[in-house]
């Protein structure tokens, strides 16, 4: 069960944080530097609500919202984002390990104190729990300065597991060849 929660959390993080889109597309604003708490809830899922924390700064946020994220180019064939009157709308098509995910997200908030992302997605392939239509809600709020033992890019997952977004390239090397697929 813990393994499923951590896998779901890692996958959710990766899909939630993938870069926005090609040159010329709108970009999300940079979040206020410091410690952000993100609560994720996924409908039609046996997984419980999950709360993570991320330490960020301007450089890390820019890296996560541009093509610098190592996996994005390999797993997503579409990554578009547009500014709207109330926030941002993002559409993506991504695939990894035989799972194809098409998603539409609406993001509202000020990126200085709190924002909400509501994402509807359709998944094909993978386990029964992954297949079908899902709604994921991410509520993020700024908590203050990062903790003394944290550096920008650090995520603290449920159960205290810590990872850094800059280590994603290392994680990519653990995925067997042929598992990453471009849609």
């Amino acid at each position: 069960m813990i393994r499923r929660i951590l896998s779901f959390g890692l996958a959710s993080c990766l899909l939630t944080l993938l870069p926005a889109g090609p040159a010329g597309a709108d970009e999300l604003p940079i979040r206020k530097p410091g410690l952000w708490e993100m609560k994720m809830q996924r409908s039609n899922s046996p997984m419980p609500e999950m709360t993570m924390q991320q330490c960020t700064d301007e450089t890390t946020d820019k890296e996560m919202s541009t093509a610098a994220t190592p996996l994005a180019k390999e797993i997503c064939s579409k990554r578009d984002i547009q500014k709207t009157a109330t926030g941002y709308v993002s559409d993506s098509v991504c695939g990894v390990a035989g799972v194809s995910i098409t998603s539409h997200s609406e993001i509202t908030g000020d990126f200085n104190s709190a924002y909400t992302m509501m994402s509807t997605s359709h998944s094909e392939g993978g386990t029964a729990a992954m297949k079908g239509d899902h709604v994921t809600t991410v509520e993020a709020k700024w908590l203050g300065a990062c903790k003394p033992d944290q550096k920008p890019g650090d995520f603290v997952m449920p159960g205290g597991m810590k990872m850094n977004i800059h280590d994603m390239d290392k994680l990519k090397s653990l995925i067997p060849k042929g598992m990453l697929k471009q849609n």
Side-chain angles (χ1 to χ4, degrees), residues 35-53:
L35 187 60
W36 284 84
E37 179 180 82
M38 295 171 284
K39 291 183 181 180
M40 283 195 272
Q41 179 73 39
R42 185 174 178 199
S43 69
N44 302 330
S45 173
M47 299 301 158
E49 177 178 286
M50 180 174 26
T51 301
M52 298 176 293
Q53 292 184 346

Side-chain angles (χ1 to χ4, degrees), residues 165-182:
I165 195 72
H166 296 110
D167 295 331
M168 290 298 147
D169 214 20
K170 294 175 191 172
L171 291 175
K172 183 176 81 171
S173 68
L174 299 176
I175 299 171
K177 289 186 178 193
M179 296 281 289
L180 291 176
K181 75 169 196 176
Q182 184 96 5

Side-chain angles (χ1 to χ4, degrees), residues 59-60 63 70 151-154 163-170:
T59 301
T60 302
E63 288 173 357
K151 63 183 186 245
D154 279 351
M163 59 184 283
N164 192 286
I165 195 72
H166 296 110
D167 295 331
M168 290 298 147
D169 214 20
K170 294 175 191 172

Side-chain angles (χ1 to χ4, degrees), residues 10 53 55 130-131 144 155 163 174 182:
L10 179 58
Q53 292 184 346
C55 174
M130 293 180 75
K131 291 180 185 175
F155 278 91
M163 59 184 283
L174 299 176
Q182 184 96 5

Side-chain angles (χ1 to χ4, degrees), residues 4-31:
R4 281 187 189 161
I5 290 171
L6 292 176
S7 296
F8 171 71
L10 179 58
S12 296
C13 280
L14 290 173
L15 293 175
T16 300
L17 300 171
L18 287 175
D26 289 324
E27 294 181 11
L28 290 175
I30 301 300
R31 294 178 298 169

Side-chain angles (χ1 to χ4, degrees), residues 32-126:
K32 183 176 184 174
L35 187 60
W36 284 84
E37 179 180 82
M38 295 171 284
K39 291 183 181 180
M40 283 195 272
Q41 179 73 39
R42 185 174 178 199
S43 69
N44 302 330
S45 173
M47 299 301 158
E49 177 178 286
M50 180 174 26
T51 301
M52 298 176 293
Q53 292 184 346
Q54 183 200 6
C55 174
T56 190
D57 64 2
E58 183 176 350
T59 301
T60 302
D61 243 29
K62 281 181 182 178
E63 288 173 357
M64 290 191 321
S65 64
T66 67
T69 302
L71 292 176
K73 288 182 180 179
E74 292 184 49
I75 67 173
C76 297
S77 62
K78 177 182 180 181
R79 302 176 322 269
D80 296 326
I81 192 163
Q82 299 296 320
K83 181 157 179 43
T84 67
T86 58
Y88 295 84
V89 172
S90 173
D91 291 289
S92 65
V93 177
C94 301
V96 65
V99 179
S100 175
I101 302 170
T102 302
S103 67
H104 173 82
S105 302
E106 296 183 15
I107 306 160
T108 57
D110 66 11
F111 295 88
N112 284 313
S113 61
Y115 63 91
T116 300
M117 181 186 75
M118 176 80 80
S119 179
T120 56
S121 63
H122 178 77
S123 302
E124 294 180 7

